[in-house]
Amino acid sequence: MINNNPRVRQWAATVVFAAFVQPVAAAVYTAGDAAELIAAINDANTTVAVDVIELTDDVVLTAVDNVVNGPNALPAVVTPIVVVGNGHAIARDAAAPAFRLFLVDGSFGVSGDLTLDGLTLAGGDSTPGAGGLPASPCFSDLSVFGGAALVRGGSLTLRNGASVEANQAYQGGGLFNAFGRMSNSDSTLAGNSAEFGGAIASLGANGVPALAIERSTFSDNEAVGSGGAILNRSMMNITDSTFDGN
């Protein structure tokens, strides 16, 4: 029997809605190798809680996990995740094929939000390779952008001694921001290289600050074209930071 009383229907809808928005307890994972890190990201991506992944050792990446906007060694981050490095590194093995390390995705209904706390990202490679540049190396094809991380409409935070070192790409040798948000505090970007934006390249909407940097160091980053340290096409704020040898 169907009850057509509008108050009953409203109460039932409220109960159903509440069931879907119940808070989920954040999980804490540990990872000491590539397989454990991949499994932790995949599991954390299934909830909207701010899950934490604690590194217990350096993580060396040797294989491509997916090819969303180019080869990535790790699953795309589509929910809030904090990776606490404890002084460890996530790095591409020198003998591995070319790939970036992280893709942070905030497009098409997902909300990728990655915080990197006290760890190093190294060796990521999103350069064009033997095949040359894609036909449209821009919004329709981001495969050669962001050596260590590509932020596509999501959010990336570096903090507490995080470091991005010796990564390379066509644009954004270390990091590339495509209409997302990026925040670097107490971090180091060193020895990254690109055609444009040696350490960081950033695109953002007019009037919206897309890049915030404070108490950070940029050193020995290189660009063949422009932006040895940063190539910025949006608003940005930089305070108490050092630029040397870029």
Side-chain angles (χ1 to χ4, degrees):
M1 179 178 177
I2 298 176
N3 192 323
N4 289 317
N5 186 312
R7 291 188 177 181
V8 173
R9 293 201 306 272
Q10 182 181 21
W11 174 84
T14 302
V15 170
V16 171
F17 176 76
F20 281 99
V21 298
Q22 298 237 351
V24 179
V28 177
Y29 305 88
T30 58
D33 59 30
E36 290 177 348
L37 180 56
I38 289 170
I41 294 172
N42 278 328
D43 200 54
N45 273 335
T46 64
T47 75
V48 296
V50 184
D51 295 320
V52 176
I53 302 172
E54 296 258 5
L55 297 188
T56 59
D57 202 348
D58 291 343
V59 174
V60 179
L61 303 170
T62 61
V64 173
D65 176 81
N66 64 83
V67 291
V68 179
N69 286 116
N72 303 291
L74 298 168
V77 173
V78 297
T79 62
I81 297 176
V82 178
V83 181
V84 180
N86 297 310
H88 295 299
I90 299 174
R92 172 183 156 273
D93 187 276
F99 51 66
R100 79 169 60 88
L101 310 183
F102 281 103
L103 167 64
V104 185
D105 197 352
S107 61
F108 303 110
V110 294
S111 302
D113 186 344
L114 177 63
T115 298
L116 301 174
D117 187 305
L119 77 156
T120 297
L121 300 183
D125 186 349
S126 290
T127 53
L133 284 173
S136 178
C138 196
F139 309 115
S140 60
D141 190 338
L142 295 169
S143 61
V144 292
F145 292 67
L150 167 64
V151 181
R152 187 179 67 166
S155 179
L156 174 65
T157 299
L158 274 64
R159 69 188 189 192
N160 296 336
S163 180
V164 178
E165 301 178 2
N167 303 277
Q168 58 182 344
Y170 172 65
Q171 285 200 39
L175 310 171
F176 188 88
N177 173 42
F179 295 99
R181 299 170 306 282
M182 196 177 293
S183 173
N184 300 348
S185 61
D186 303 296
S187 59
T188 298
L189 291 94
N192 303 286
S193 60
E195 290 287 323
F196 304 96
I200 296 175
S202 180
L203 298 172
N206 291 334
V208 179
L211 182 59
I213 298 168
E214 59 180 349
R215 301 184 305 277
S216 294
T217 298
F218 290 72
S219 63
D220 301 317
N221 301 288
E222 182 179 2
V224 176
S226 57
I230 300 172
L231 176 65
N232 181 59
R233 299 187 183 97
S234 61
M235 291 180 62
M236 68 175 175
N237 298 316
I238 301 176
T239 57
D240 300 325
S241 295
T242 300
F243 292 79
D244 180 51
N246 302 287

